[in-house]
Amino acid sequence: MFYVFPNPQAIAEYVSGLLIAQIQKKNNAVLGLATGSTMEPVYAKLCEQVAQQNVDVSGLTTFNLDEYIGLGSDHPQSYRYYMRQHLFNRLAFVQHRTFLPDGLCADSLQQCEQYSRQIQQAGHIDLQLLGIGNNGHIGFNEPGTSFASRTHVVPLTEQTRIDNSRFFDSLDEVPTQAITLGLQDIMESKQIILIATGTNKAQIMAELYESPVSEQLPASVIKSHPNALVLLDELAAQFLPADLCNVAVV
C-alpha cells in the first residue's frame, strides 16, 4: 500500500501513467481531482504525456474534492481557478463535465446534497486523487469527521487556515469555511491514490502508517479501501520503517 519514490517528479510520472491507462481503458471515466502544490507536478506531467500520446480526454467527467466558501470561480485562490490554470485550460476537457462546488452558491446545504448525488448518478469515481493535511485531513475532512459523511460544509480549523495562508496575502484573507466531499463519497471511489511529498509531511505519514482506522485521523479510512495506494517521496517517508515500505520501481 505504501510506495516510496525518489522525488515528486517520479511520483508525477507514475501517477500520470496510471491516469492515462485509466482513460485509455475507459474513455468516459470519472476522475476525482485534488488541488494544492502536491498535485502541480502531477498535472504538469499529465498535460505533457497526454499531448505526447495524443490521448483524448473529451469524454471524461471530473469531480473536485472541495472549494472555499466565499470565493468565486475567478478568484485566484479558488480551486476552480487552480484547476483551469493547471489542467482544464491546458487539455481538451469539456467544461460542463468538470464539477466543483460553487463557493458563492445561495444554498450550500442543498448544493452539498446535489454534489454527492451527481457523483452517484455518474456511477461513482473511477480514480480519486488525494493529498493529505498535516493533521491527517483529506479534502477538508478534519479529525473527528464521520466516516459516513457525504459532501458537507466544514469550518476550517485554525491550523488548516495557517497551512493554506501561504497562498494568500494574509491569514485574514483565508476563508473560514469550505465545502468538501465526504469520506463516504471518497471511499466509494473504485481506486484511491494518496500522494504526500516533502519533509513537512513526514510526521503525518508516520502517524498514518502506525494509526488504526480512526475518525481522529481521517486519512486512515483509506486503509480499509480494497484498492488504495499511498505514494510518498523519500522526504515524506523518512520516519517510516525502511523495511516495511515498498520501494517503487521507476
Side-chain angles (χ1 to χ4, degrees):
M1 185 180 187
F2 286 73
Y3 291 87
V4 181
F5 292 74
N7 51 52
Q9 291 71 34
I11 293 177
E13 185 161 356
Y14 180 76
V15 174
S16 176
L18 291 179
L19 287 165
I20 288 174
Q22 175 66 62
I23 297 165
Q24 291 174 331
K25 179 176 69 174
K26 184 181 180 184
N27 62 9
N28 63 342
V30 180
L31 301 181
L33 302 179
T35 56
S37 54
T38 301
M39 296 299 157
E40 290 180 18
V42 173
Y43 294 146
K45 180 58 69 173
L46 179 63
C47 289
E48 175 188 322
Q49 292 187 335
V50 163
Q52 288 174 348
Q53 300 178 38
N54 195 29
V55 178
D56 181 9
V57 302
S58 64
L60 299 176
T61 298
T62 68
F63 289 92
N64 264 74
L65 279 169
D66 39 36
E67 181 60 281
Y68 289 117
I69 290 180
L71 300 189
S73 62
D74 291 329
H75 191 289
Q77 300 308 328
S78 76
Y79 291 145
R80 168 66 78 174
Y81 188 94
Y82 171 105
M83 293 306 302
R84 288 201 303 257
Q85 293 292 108
H86 293 286
L87 193 62
F88 294 158
N89 287 356
R90 299 180 61 188
L91 296 176
F93 283 87
V94 176
Q95 295 303 310
H96 71 265
R97 288 205 295 271
T98 60
F99 293 92
L100 287 90
D102 179 2
L104 297 179
C105 65
D107 188 336
S108 56
L109 295 179
Q110 182 183 50
Q111 182 188 202
C112 289
E113 293 176 1
Q114 179 183 11
Y115 202 70
S116 288
R117 188 164 58 249
Q118 286 173 319
I119 293 173
Q120 294 165 23
Q121 291 170 345
H124 299 291
I125 291 167
D126 290 300
L127 191 157
Q128 174 69 60
L129 295 180
L130 297 174
I132 184 171
N134 289 333
N135 64 357
H137 72 240
I138 50 177
F140 277 124
N141 294 290
E142 301 286 358
T145 301
S146 169
F147 286 161
S149 61
R150 295 291 186 183
T151 304
H152 58 286
V153 174
V154 292
L156 302 181
T157 67
E158 189 68 9
Q159 186 58 56
T160 293
R161 294 181 68 242
I162 291 170
D163 290 344
N164 289 359
S165 65
R166 68 188 187 277
F167 301 115
F168 294 80
D169 291 335
S170 71
L171 179 60
D172 291 339
E173 294 185 8
V174 182
T176 58
Q177 290 183 304
I179 294 174
T180 189
L181 200 63
L183 293 172
Q184 186 169 345
D185 295 308
I186 291 170
M187 285 294 287
E188 286 172 352
S189 304
K190 295 161 192 173
Q191 182 176 15
I192 293 175
I193 300 173
L194 186 149
I195 304 170
T197 59
T199 299
N200 66 320
K201 296 297 172 68
Q203 184 58 49
I204 190 59
M205 294 314 295
E207 292 177 23
L208 176 62
Y209 187 87
E210 296 168 0
S211 171
V213 176
S214 166
E215 291 180 350
Q216 294 309 306
L217 204 168
S220 68
V221 70
I222 72 169
K223 290 184 171 186
S224 59
H225 194 280
N227 190 16
L229 296 175
V230 179
L231 311 181
L232 310 88
D233 68 357
E234 292 177 353
L235 293 177
Q238 63 186 282
F239 298 145
L240 297 182
D243 60 335
L244 295 180
C245 290
N246 294 295
V247 178
V249 177
V250 296

